[in-house]
Amino acid sequence: MAARWWRRVLRGLCGAALFLSQLSVLSGRAGSLMTTKLSQPQSTLAKSLTSTSTNAPYFKAFESTEIPPYLTNCPSNGLCSRLPPDCMTCNTNYSCIYGKTATFDCKVKPHVHCVDENNHEQENFTINMTCQFCWQLATSDYVCTNSTNCMTVSCPRQRYNATCTVRDHIHCLGNRVFPKMLYCNWTGGYKWSTALALSITLGGFGADRFYLGQWREGLGKLFSFGGLGIWTLIDVLLIGVGYVGPADGSLYI
């Protein structure tokens, strides 16, 4: 009887242990299911962030389609050979003979439209130009900055550093913007004829020197009555030959 009772107790304990083990397995599956459900929105959010981040190249590509700044200087549907140099790209031929006419193969830049003599649109064309560098052009083919800080009336004549830019319709080799040493050639608006007339008529009172901005010399001539006439005659000669000029160092008109 005692043996049977112990067997029942052991069977009861085994059944309880089996029930507890199944309960723990079921609770573990439920937790994994909850974790999976919670992780799904995060993965969806990550995918949405990833998809939006891939739109960045699209916006960059859209921005790159903006109109280039050189198009403002490029006439539309004009002759390709008449385009400004900023509107084309040419193969430089450095083997040409200096001073001789040479042919260069050119191509229009993107978004530039031009035609040939038969009014046919083209991209590749040739132009003829003189074989020389831009800094070797004539002074009428480029525009330079002017300086008002140097004296035009001096011996030797002063020079200044200028920045020159080639005109649009001129083609040349090398850089179209270059430095160059130029003579001081600016003017302040003083007329040589007016200065000479004042020196002849009212030079004894220093009117010519006052007109040129030389106040000290003008006062000296005024109180000395033109150096008793001697200073007046000398100033007429000096202004006549252009040796005496404006006090600011500019040229006569």
Side-chain angles (χ1 to χ4, degrees), residues 166-179:
V166 182
R167 298 183 185 274
D168 289 339
H169 65 281
I170 302 298
H171 298 278
C172 56
L173 301 178
N175 296 327
R176 299 185 61 83
V177 179
F178 54 90

Side-chain angles (χ1 to χ4, degrees), residues 2-237:
R4 291 180 181 178
W5 183 81
W6 282 108
R7 288 178 183 176
R8 292 179 181 178
V9 172
L10 290 175
R11 288 178 182 177
L13 292 176
C14 291
L18 180 60
F19 174 76
L20 291 176
S21 62
Q22 291 178 354
L23 182 61
S24 63
V25 171
L26 291 176
S27 62
R29 290 182 179 178
S32 63
L33 290 175
M34 292 294 293
T35 306
T36 306
K37 290 181 179 180
L38 291 175
S39 62
Q40 284 181 353
Q42 295 179 357
S43 62
T44 305
L45 179 60
K47 288 181 180 179
S48 63
L49 292 175
T50 306
S51 61
T52 53
S53 63
T54 56
N55 291 334
Y58 173 77
F59 289 113
K60 291 183 179 179
F62 180 76
E63 293 176 355
S64 63
T65 59
E66 293 181 355
I67 299 176
Y70 59 80
L71 282 182
T72 57
N73 299 325
C74 301
S76 179
N77 296 326
L79 288 176
C80 294
S81 57
R82 300 289 182 86
L83 287 175
D86 293 338
C87 305
M88 66 180 75
T89 303
C90 299
N91 295 327
T92 305
N93 182 13
Y94 290 105
S95 61
C96 59
I97 301 175
Y98 173 74
K100 301 294 183 179
T101 302
T103 302
F104 294 83
D105 296 326
C106 301
K107 182 179 180 180
V108 294
K109 290 184 177 180
H111 308 289
V112 178
H113 302 281
C114 63
V115 296
D116 57 6
E117 290 76 6
N118 298 324
N119 203 23
H120 295 156
E121 187 173 355
Q122 60 179 356
E123 294 183 359
N124 300 315
F125 57 96
T126 59
I127 60 172
N128 296 324
M129 72 173 73
T130 304
C131 181
Q132 59 183 349
F133 287 97
C134 295
W135 58 270
Q136 296 173 322
L137 293 171
T139 55
S140 59
D141 293 336
Y142 52 84
V143 179
C144 300
T145 57
N146 206 350
S147 175
T148 58
N149 296 325
C150 58
M151 300 291 291
T152 59
V153 182
S154 61
C155 186
R157 191 175 176 185
Q158 289 186 5
R159 293 175 180 261
Y160 70 98
N161 292 320
T163 301
C164 302
T165 305
V166 182
R167 298 183 185 274
D168 289 339
H169 65 281
I170 302 298
H171 298 278
C172 56
L173 301 178
N175 296 327
R176 299 185 61 83
V177 179
F178 54 90
K180 197 164 189 177
M181 292 289 294
L182 299 177
Y183 286 109
C184 299
N185 59 352
W186 66 283
T187 178
Y190 296 96
K191 293 184 177 181
W192 172 82
S193 58
T194 303
L196 183 60
L198 291 175
S199 181
I200 295 173
T201 57
L202 300 174
F205 301 98
D208 51 352
R209 293 284 183 165
F210 286 126
Y211 172 73
L212 296 176
Q214 302 175 5
W215 297 94
R216 295 179 180 178
E217 292 80 356
L219 291 174
K221 291 182 69 175
L222 177 62
F223 291 109
S224 65
F225 299 101
L228 300 178
I230 299 176
W231 194 349
T232 302
L233 294 176
I234 294 175
D235 272 357
V236 171
L237 295 176

